[in-house]
Amino acid sequence: RSAILKQPGTFTFYAFITEGGKAVRRTVKTGKEFEDKLEITEGLNEGDNLIVIGQVRVKDGSIVEIIRAGETK
């Protein structure tokens, strides 16, 4: 749920994924909400690397580094 952001003043939701070391903004369509979970019905694909930490500071095209859970830098 926290990975999905809302465009201020609109009903548009979006998320950031990584492609080629850069952040890519994807508009998403949402479905049902389950407590702290949110169903995404369009905009993301299986296997996408979803940015789940720091996404509020990322801009489309920002250079990013993937650090997986449990890894340290």
Side-chain angles (χ1 to χ4, degrees):
R1 170 87 172 131
S2 63
I4 306 303
L5 305 169
K6 184 176 184 279
Q7 181 72 39
T10 72
F11 295 104
T12 302
F13 292 88
Y14 63 96
F16 286 99
I17 63 164
T18 62
E19 284 183 354
K22 293 187 178 182
V24 177
R25 180 179 160 152
R26 291 267 183 92
T27 299
V28 297
K29 292 197 178 190
T30 59
K32 298 177 184 175
E33 289 190 51
F34 310 95
E35 296 177 10
D36 64 337
K37 295 174 179 57
L38 181 63
E39 177 184 34
I40 303 302
T41 58
E42 289 182 32
L44 296 176
N45 299 308
E46 186 174 337
D48 283 345
N49 288 313
L50 184 63
I51 297 176
V52 296
I53 297 175
Q55 67 276 19
V56 295
R57 296 184 302 257
V58 173
K59 294 183 178 168
D60 196 34
S62 295
I63 295 172
V64 294
E65 180 180 359
I66 298 172
I67 300 175
R68 302 202 186 277
E71 289 183 0
T72 58
K73 179 160 169 41

